[in-house]
């Protein structure tokens, strides 16, 4: 995420009150006793807050997947679509039940548990647009499908590698759900380019994006460059050369980044500043951002960095092998607010275990930072909050999406590692390697994709899809269960 930073800004440092009312999760400002050292928050006071809620976080069980019908069952003559614009674009007369995105087969964090929602899908009669080849452009390609007008759901009759040859894909038209789970194994992997959003009402699911260093300049693997109501869920983003997944949406609130594998942003690569391995940046004045259920591994900084004027909920993520953890503020002098709850910080080869994992750095601006920080755990014992940082400790969450529930950090650690990334039940070698690194406390940041075997070579696969004209949401969910259930 390219931004206007000060000369020393690589040192990482709601506004709308949205306390959950539908599922009020009573969490005290200080964690209860835990076997894992470092989970206590703000100042080490072990007694419950007098003003904040007192109950422990709810341990929401992961939904049990139902039996999976065959996703590409043959369509009968009676199921012929009601209208067809082209052979690869079908209008669904019955609309889309967005409620099916309210649960995730592999995670207690669902795609619509954050501030972004999918209600636009329920109000639309979406076209189903098929990606039928792995070309970088042209009819039948992913670029072509993203450029179609109107509300649409993008599905895939192909699996394998889309090589962008240095040219990033941009979602520039609104109202699109890219359902990568519909691709046959090994799924969709985008190489030598990024996938960026610059439109409202966008859902990206079950895609891998690996830019690497064979590019003309630094980019994020996946980035929101100004879209409102954007969901990035169950994607894998590695080998970015600026950040890995970021959002820059100062005039476009409601962004959810959930259940993603965010790893190996290249260190000494093509960034003009030199060493620059960053996980996630929430850019100045981005409002109502949910970051939940993600895994960061082998990035130097920004896990995430929440810049000035932002309002964010950072919940039940796992951070592994970092030099700088979570930082707040900087960039502009507007107030930064955050709820940072139930995250699990695991030290690796580049982690200084004497450094606090959460802090604030003001190098290019001065603005207030107010945060509720609780139930975060470290492994091994590390300081949680930088006691010298100018962060105002809050006893209640200043920003929180209604649908989001939490687990304890140690429970989140297990569920994240099991269910994170593009296809948890169908992981490719690089995804398996990174998750194994976290479990084994092994591996290190890299300077190039060549350090870990280079760009993947995945054999192309095809599968014809018979799109139903009714119950489209349930049909897509069958694919979701297939790629997520482990």
């Amino acid at each position: 995420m390219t931004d206007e930073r000060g000369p020393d800004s690589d040192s990482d440092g709601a506004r709308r009150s949205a306390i959950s009312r539908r599922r009020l999760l009573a969490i005290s400002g200080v964690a209860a006793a835990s076997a894992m050292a470092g989970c206590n928050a703000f100042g080490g006071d072990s007694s419950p807050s007098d003003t904040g809620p007192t109950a422990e976080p709810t341990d929401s069980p992961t939904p049990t997947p139902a039996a999976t019908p065959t996703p590409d069952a043959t369509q009968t003559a009676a199921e012929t679509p009601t209208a067809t614009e082209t052979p690869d674009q079908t209008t669904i007369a019955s609309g889309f039940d967005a409620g099916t995105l309210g649960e995730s087969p592999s995670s207690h964090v669902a795609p619509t548990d954050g501030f972004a929602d999918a209600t636009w899908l329920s109000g639309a009669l979406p076209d189903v647009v098929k990606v039928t080849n792995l070309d970088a452009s042209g009819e039948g390609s992913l670029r072509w499908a993203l450029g179609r007008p109107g509300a649409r759901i993008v599905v895939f009759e192909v699996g394998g590698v889309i090589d962008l040859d240095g040219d990033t894909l941009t979602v520039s038209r609104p109202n699109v759900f890219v359902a990568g789970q519909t691709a046959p194994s090994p799924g969709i992997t985008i190489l030598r380019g990024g996938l960026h959003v610059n439109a409202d009402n966008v859902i990206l699911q079950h895609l891998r994006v690996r830019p690497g260093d064979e590019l003309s300049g630094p980019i994020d693997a996946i980035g929101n460059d100004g879209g409102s109501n954007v969901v990035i869920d169950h994607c894998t983003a590695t080998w970015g050369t600026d950040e890995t997944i970021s959002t820059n949406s100062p005039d476009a609130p409601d962004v959810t980044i959930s259940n993603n594998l965010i790893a190996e942003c290249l260190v000494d690569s093509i960034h003009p500043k030199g060493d620059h391995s960053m996980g996630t940046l929430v850019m100045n004045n981005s409002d109502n951002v949910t970051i939940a259920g993600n895994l960061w591994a082998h990035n130097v900084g920004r896990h995430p960095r929440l810049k000035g004027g932002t309002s964010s909920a950072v919940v039940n993520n796992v951070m592994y092998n970092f030099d700088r953890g979570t930082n707040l503020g900087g960039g502009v002098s507007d107030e930064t607010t955050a709820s940072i709850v139930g995250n699990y910080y695991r030290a690796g080869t580049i982690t200084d275990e004497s450094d606090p994992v959460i802090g604030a750095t003001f190098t290019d601006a001065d603005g207030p930072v107010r945060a509720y920080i609780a139930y975060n755990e470290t492994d091994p014992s590390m300081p949680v909050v930088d006691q010298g940082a100018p962060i105002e400790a809050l006893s209640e969450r200043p920003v929180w999406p209604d649908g989001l529930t939490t687990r304890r950090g140690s429970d989140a650690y297990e569920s994240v590692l099991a269910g994170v990334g593009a296809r948890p039940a169908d992981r490719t070698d690089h995804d398996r390697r990174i998750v194994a690194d976290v479990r084994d406390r092994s591996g290190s940041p890299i300077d190039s994709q060549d350090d870990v075997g280079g760009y993947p070579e995945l054999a192309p696969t095809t599968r014809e899809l018979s799109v139903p004209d009714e119950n489209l949401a349930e049909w897509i969910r069958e694919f979701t269960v297939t790629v997520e259930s482990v």
Side-chain angles (χ1 to χ4, degrees):
M1 181 67 62
T2 302
D3 61 343
E4 294 75 29
R5 301 181 175 97
D8 192 31
S9 61
D10 276 343
S11 178
D12 284 340
R15 307 231 306 262
R16 182 189 309 173
S17 179
I19 302 298
S20 170
R21 292 174 176 84
R22 181 162 64 90
R23 298 185 196 174
L24 180 59
L25 184 60
I27 306 177
S28 66
V30 181
S34 171
M36 185 64 65
C39 65
N40 213 6
F42 267 152
D45 183 1
S46 60
S47 61
S49 166
D50 292 332
T51 58
T54 57
E56 296 180 357
T58 301
D59 186 359
S60 303
T62 303
T64 301
T68 307
T70 303
D72 53 350
T74 302
Q75 189 176 12
T76 65
E79 296 170 329
T80 302
T82 57
T84 303
E85 247 183 63
T86 74
D88 298 315
Q89 183 168 322
T90 302
T91 300
I92 301 302
S94 60
F96 188 97
D97 179 9
T100 58
L101 294 171
E103 289 186 349
S104 170
S106 65
S107 173
H108 69 285
V109 179
T112 56
D113 280 351
F115 287 111
D117 62 51
T119 55
W120 62 270
L121 268 170
S122 291
L125 297 178
D127 292 330
V128 177
V129 182
K130 294 180 181 179
V131 175
T132 57
N133 62 61
L134 298 170
D135 298 343
S137 62
E139 185 170 353
S141 69
L142 176 56
R143 188 184 302 275
W144 169 84
L146 295 177
R148 305 294 292 174
R152 60 217 183 276
I153 299 172
V154 177
V155 298
F156 295 82
E157 292 195 328
V158 290
V161 169
I162 298 174
D163 190 337
L164 297 180
D165 196 25
D167 191 7
T168 288
L169 278 173
T170 300
V171 182
S172 57
R173 290 178 181 262
N175 305 322
V176 58
F177 174 14
V178 183
Q181 58 267 54
T182 58
S185 183
I188 296 297
T189 297
I190 297 170
L191 302 182
R192 296 181 180 88
L195 177 60
H196 288 200
V197 175
N198 194 10
D200 298 340
N201 299 336
V202 175
I203 301 171
L204 304 178
Q205 277 196 304
H206 302 286
L207 303 167
R208 304 184 193 95
V209 186
R210 308 190 193 276
D213 57 18
E214 295 182 9
L215 305 170
S216 60
I219 62 168
D220 299 344
I222 302 176
N224 176 35
D225 298 338
S228 176
N229 201 42
V230 173
V231 175
I232 303 169
D233 176 72
H234 272 104
C235 291
T236 292
T238 64
W239 310 341
T241 49
D242 194 358
E243 274 84 32
T244 310
I245 292 184
S246 289
T247 184
N248 182 9
S249 50
D251 300 314
D254 303 329
V255 174
T256 298
I257 299 171
S258 55
N259 303 308
N260 301 291
L261 175 55
I262 306 169
E264 294 182 334
C265 192
L266 303 183
V267 184
D268 184 10
S269 183
I270 60 175
H271 200 284
K273 292 182 178 180
D275 288 2
H276 193 86
S277 170
M278 303 297 169
T280 296
L281 181 67
V282 178
M283 190 54 177
N284 301 334
N285 299 116
S286 298
D287 200 19
N288 282 355
V289 178
T290 309
I291 302 176
N294 303 285
L295 168 64
W296 286 275
H298 303 316
N299 309 291
V300 173
R302 301 179 185 166
H303 296 85
R305 183 181 180 189
L306 313 174
K307 293 196 73 176
T310 60
S311 60
S312 309
V314 180
V315 181
N316 280 171
N317 303 283
V318 174
M319 298 77 162
Y320 170 65
N321 199 21
F322 51 88
D323 178 65
R324 298 184 295 277
T326 301
N327 293 85
L328 298 84
V332 296
S333 59
D334 299 316
E335 179 179 275
T336 303
T337 55
S339 302
I340 303 174
V341 179
N343 300 289
Y344 193 91
Y345 296 84
R346 183 168 169 84
T349 56
I350 66 168
T351 307
D352 185 339
E353 296 173 16
S354 66
D355 287 344
V357 297
I358 301 172
T361 300
F362 296 90
T363 57
D364 51 358
D366 186 15
V369 175
R370 305 169 67 246
Y372 175 84
I373 303 177
Y375 297 108
N376 300 286
E377 300 183 19
T378 68
D379 177 17
S381 178
M382 294 178 277
V384 175
V385 181
D386 182 354
Q387 297 302 313
I391 302 175
E392 178 187 347
L394 302 179
S395 59
E396 294 184 345
R397 298 165 299 186
V399 54
W400 197 266
D402 284 345
L404 186 61
T405 60
T406 65
R407 291 180 172 180
R408 293 195 172 276
S410 53
D411 294 335
Y413 171 81
E414 291 297 337
S415 63
V416 166
L417 265 58
V420 79
R423 298 167 75 97
D426 184 30
R427 285 176 172 152
T428 54
D429 289 345
H430 284 300
D431 283 17
R432 286 195 296 268
R433 172 181 56 80
I434 292 167
V435 172
D437 280 354
V438 181
R439 289 200 177 277
D440 299 340
R441 209 188 297 270
S442 60
S444 62
I446 62 175
D447 296 328
S448 170
Q449 69 280 349
D450 294 337
D451 296 343
V452 288
Y455 290 113
E457 296 181 1
L458 303 172
T461 57
T462 61
R463 174 178 58 193
E464 184 176 352
L465 294 177
S466 297
V467 180
D469 60 349
E470 294 183 352
N471 300 321
L472 177 63
E474 289 295 338
W475 180 75
I476 288 180
R477 182 169 172 79
E478 292 169 5
F479 292 99
T480 307
V481 171
T482 298
V483 303
E484 288 189 31
S485 299
V486 293

